[in-house]
Amino acid sequence: MTAIAPIESSTLQLAASFLRKGGLVAMPTETVYGLACDASNPDAVARLYAAKGRPSFNPLIAHVASLEMAQAEAVFCDAAFKLAHAFWPGPLTLVLPVASTGTVCDLARSGLNTIALRMPAHPGARSLIAGFGRPVVAPSANRSGHISPTLAEHVKADLDGKVDLILDGGPCTQGIESTIVSFIGDQPTLLRAGTVETSALEAVLGTSLARADEGDGISAPGQLKSHYAPNARLRLNASAPEAGEAWLGFGPDEANGLNLSPSGNLTEAAANLFAMLRQLDAEADRIAVAHIPNEGFGEAINDRLARAAHRDD
């Protein structure tokens, strides 16, 4: 049984001691709960992959506590610095060339000569990383392909007995994963839509972001077609549930079920997405999902829903 502990000085010290021994600690971020381990320790990363059942070709995001820590791991161009200064700490991941001083192991990077870096906004996460003293990798703290956790209890439901400690920071405030921007190549490229809106990134950069092509291969986390997948089958852009379907609504609809945001607020919908999908997945084998506007946070919500609905069979 894995203990859930509140974030305080003593539990942060305990969590850091687990990390130093190659252990796994679930920590809250502003997006979802992350499963943290020492990014420099390949044995710890292998244990993390095993706990999640995660494909080893899908690289991990390294989380840092400061820009100085990030600069030791990656080579920043001027444009990447602009985004880091504008959006860090926060839900933005930057994919950059690995620095010669980097400590993140090859296994965490899936053998790539690039690294994905993020500085989380949650003070508990940054305190843990700062106390530990070097980067941690921290993918979502759930079994690979399952719905991402936004509460400590979600982590325990998926990973009880597979991790050393779960730090409880309460509900995640944003509830959807980070935006990922790559600075590999001639033009900054959006690899994954997320909580930081594309328009805000482009305003800071003063240029449009390119979009990743599916044929480009996997260069960062979150690019698998089938991801965030519940057991239930999803039917997207539905106007109403059919017989036998659970309902995930949006806006002032009258269907029975759950509603991401009765007021039509996309920020509220993003925060509720994974928790509501998890609840409906436990109740039904088919879920109908209302149309979500593809603007602002809606771009990221629709990205996650499309991955959740994707089936290889």
Side-chain angles (χ1 to χ4, degrees), residues 239-242 244-260 279-280 283-284 286-290:
S239 57
E242 296 176 351
E245 288 183 326
W247 177 245
L248 184 59
F250 176 79
D253 62 72
E254 298 180 0
N256 293 323
L258 299 182
N259 195 315
L260 292 167
Q279 181 177 337
L280 292 177
E283 299 172 358
R286 291 187 295 133
I287 302 170
V289 183

Side-chain angles (χ1 to χ4, degrees), residues 1-16 18 24-28 33 122 124-125 128 151-153 155-156 160 163-171:
M1 299 285 288
T2 302
I4 297 178
I7 293 178
E8 51 193 34
S9 177
S10 60
T11 57
L12 287 171
Q13 291 176 16
L14 177 62
F18 280 128
L24 306 181
V25 174
M27 67 178 189
Y33 274 73
H122 196 290
L128 174 61
L151 293 171
E153 291 77 10
V155 180
K156 190 173 181 68
D160 191 22
V163 302
D164 297 294
L165 184 67
I166 301 170
L167 292 174
D168 188 354

Side-chain angles (χ1 to χ4, degrees), residues 202-236:
E202 292 176 336
V204 170
L205 291 173
T207 186
S208 297
L209 289 168
R211 299 299 195 272
D213 186 350
E214 286 187 4
D216 291 342
I218 293 172
S219 58
Q223 289 184 281
L224 290 178
K225 242 185 181 180
S226 179
H227 206 52
Y228 321 105
N231 293 317
R233 289 187 176 271
L234 269 62
R235 183 169 63 90
L236 307 183

